[in-house]
Amino acid sequence: MEKVNINYAKNQIYATNALFEFSKSIYVDEISVGVMEKYAILIGGGDEVGSKNYDAFKNDVFDFYNVLKNYDDWKDENVYIYLWDQTAGTYYHNDKPIILDGKATRINMEIAFTEIQNKITKDDFFLFSEICHAVEITTMPLDGNFVLNVPGGSYETVRLTTPSPRGRKSLKMLLDESITGRSAFSVIIVQSCWSGYAVSGLASSDRIVMT
């Protein structure tokens, strides 16, 4: 189990989360007494142009995976990790195994959301992180996005808060349908360019958004 430092003061508990290292004062009646499971979707982007397929995409998502796996309560079956055009399998990063679930495609990402939706409860925690390229949106409404792989050498964008012109779901829609109201708390990390547009749109009372 993850270590949590707890101090009692009147009817409040002050807890320091050992993984994310932030603190929050909460009331006793807000505390879940269930067993917390942790779920994550980690996405590393890329580019069909080799010179733009930066090592940072792989290094960041693999490093993040290794950080989570340093804690015993992040189970393999609950961590979904995808990297641009890499097939599913076991890879090694800094001599540590990475169990990759496959290519960073919209289909794979949406399957992960559906599978987590079918398992997650209000006692559980959810983490989403992407480090990908983006395409600048210059027409209203302005929005951030991230680029995912399309097998065959192409790509598509996932908007952060608004549906795409083709009606594809945004990240906000996927979160609202699969995670919001089902989990106790979630952290959303979007690292693509222009992602700052989406901070207020992704905000929720049970969600921390980082860009």
Side-chain angles (χ1 to χ4, degrees), residues 3 9 14 22 43 73-74 96 99 110 121 139-140 180 186 188 193:
K3 293 181 179 179
Y14 181 82
F22 62 83
I43 298 177
D73 47 358
W74 286 88
K96 295 182 179 180
I99 303 176
E110 292 189 353
T121 74
T139 58
M140 298 299 290
T180 302
S186 60
I188 311 302
C193 294

Side-chain angles (χ1 to χ4, degrees), residues 38-197:
K38 296 180 178 180
Y39 298 89
I41 298 176
L42 310 178
I43 298 177
D47 199 291
E48 65 268 25
V49 178
S51 61
K52 296 181 180 180
N53 194 10
Y54 305 130
D55 289 340
F57 296 128
K58 180 188 73 173
N59 293 338
D60 186 90
V61 74
F62 280 5
D63 282 339
F64 206 154
Y65 177 93
N66 282 338
V67 168
L68 297 184
K69 294 301 292 180
N70 283 335
Y71 295 83
D72 293 336
D73 47 358
W74 286 88
K75 300 176 182 177
D76 290 333
E77 62 269 26
N78 292 345
V79 178
Y80 298 77
I81 175 171
Y82 304 101
L83 179 61
W84 189 243
D85 59 355
Q86 299 299 302
T87 56
T90 300
Y91 296 76
Y92 286 85
H93 181 68
N94 294 332
D95 297 323
K96 295 182 179 180
I98 308 291
I99 303 176
L100 191 71
D101 292 288
K103 299 179 180 181
T105 65
R106 174 182 283 275
I107 290 175
N108 282 340
M109 180 186 68
E110 292 189 353
I111 288 173
F113 270 106
T114 299
E115 291 187 2
I116 292 173
Q117 175 183 333
N118 292 333
K119 297 187 289 185
I120 202 167
T121 74
K122 291 183 179 295
D123 295 316
D124 300 335
F125 175 82
F126 175 74
L127 166 70
F128 176 91
S129 176
E130 63 85 4
I131 176 169
C132 300
H133 280 305
V135 175
E136 184 177 11
I137 296 174
T138 58
T139 58
M140 298 299 290
L142 298 177
D143 196 1
N145 63 84
F146 56 95
V147 171
L148 295 182
N149 179 271
V150 173
S154 187
Y155 69 89
E156 69 170 309
T157 60
V158 176
R159 292 199 178 197
L160 297 181
T161 63
T162 57
S164 72
R166 293 186 294 172
R168 299 288 182 87
K169 293 180 180 179
S170 66
L171 176 62
K172 174 178 169 53
M173 294 172 69
L174 292 169
L175 291 168
D176 289 346
E177 291 176 3
S178 302
I179 307 300
T180 302
R182 298 175 185 270
S183 66
F185 204 70
S186 60
V187 171
I188 311 302
I189 304 172
V190 284
Q191 303 181 67
S192 51
C193 294
W194 303 290
S195 58
Y197 282 124

